[in-house]
Amino acid sequence: MRPHRNLKIASSIQKEIAKIIEKDFEFDALVTILDVSVDEDLLKTKIKLGIIPYNQGPFVWKELVERRNELRHKLLKKIKIRAVPPLEFMIEETE
C-alpha cells in the first residue's frame, strides 16, 4: 500500500473528527486532536488526544470510546472511503 494514501486518509480523518467532536460533544475540557495515524493495511486508526485540564481525560476518553461507532458512521458519510478503520483513542500524557 502507498504511504501517501495513508497520510491523506489520516489527514482527512483528523480534520473531520475534530469538526464532529466540536459540533456533537459537550465536554468540560478543551479537546484537541494532536495526531492521527492509520495502519498500512487500514485495519486500525490511532487518534492521539490532547485534553485540558488533564484530569478530565478519563471522562472524555470514556465518552469517545462509548460513541466510537457513531463517530465512524459520521466519518464514513464525510470521507469518500469504503470503510473507516476502527478508531482507537489515546490521551497524550502532558500536564
Side-chain angles (χ1 to χ4, degrees):
M1 175 134 329
R2 297 171 289 166
H4 174 71
R5 180 170 184 243
N6 288 5
L7 292 173
K8 189 173 179 182
I9 291 171
S11 175
S12 296
I13 288 174
Q14 182 172 1
K15 185 168 50 171
E16 292 300 330
I17 205 158
K19 289 178 187 177
I20 292 168
I21 288 174
E22 181 181 358
K23 180 181 173 195
D24 296 344
F25 290 81
E26 289 191 26
F27 296 119
D28 293 331
L30 174 64
V31 180
T32 57
I33 309 299
L34 299 176
D35 186 43
V36 174
S37 61
V38 179
D39 287 352
E40 281 189 30
D41 51 5
L42 299 177
L43 292 179
K44 190 186 317 179
T45 302
K46 294 181 183 177
I47 302 169
K48 192 179 292 186
L49 304 170
I51 301 170
I52 300 172
Y54 182 73
N55 63 355
Q56 291 292 315
F59 304 110
V60 172
W61 181 82
K62 183 180 179 205
E63 179 76 18
L64 291 172
V65 168
E66 287 175 354
R67 294 176 62 184
R68 83 171 100 198
N69 288 334
E70 176 186 340
L71 284 168
R72 283 182 70 197
H73 180 72
K74 288 181 179 189
L75 282 171
L76 190 58
K77 285 182 169 181
K78 298 282 185 182
I79 301 172
K80 304 292 186 210
I81 188 173
R82 286 187 184 175
V84 174
L87 307 175
E88 180 181 313
F89 296 99
M90 301 180 305
I91 298 174
E92 181 69 23
E93 297 187 21
T94 58
E95 289 189 46

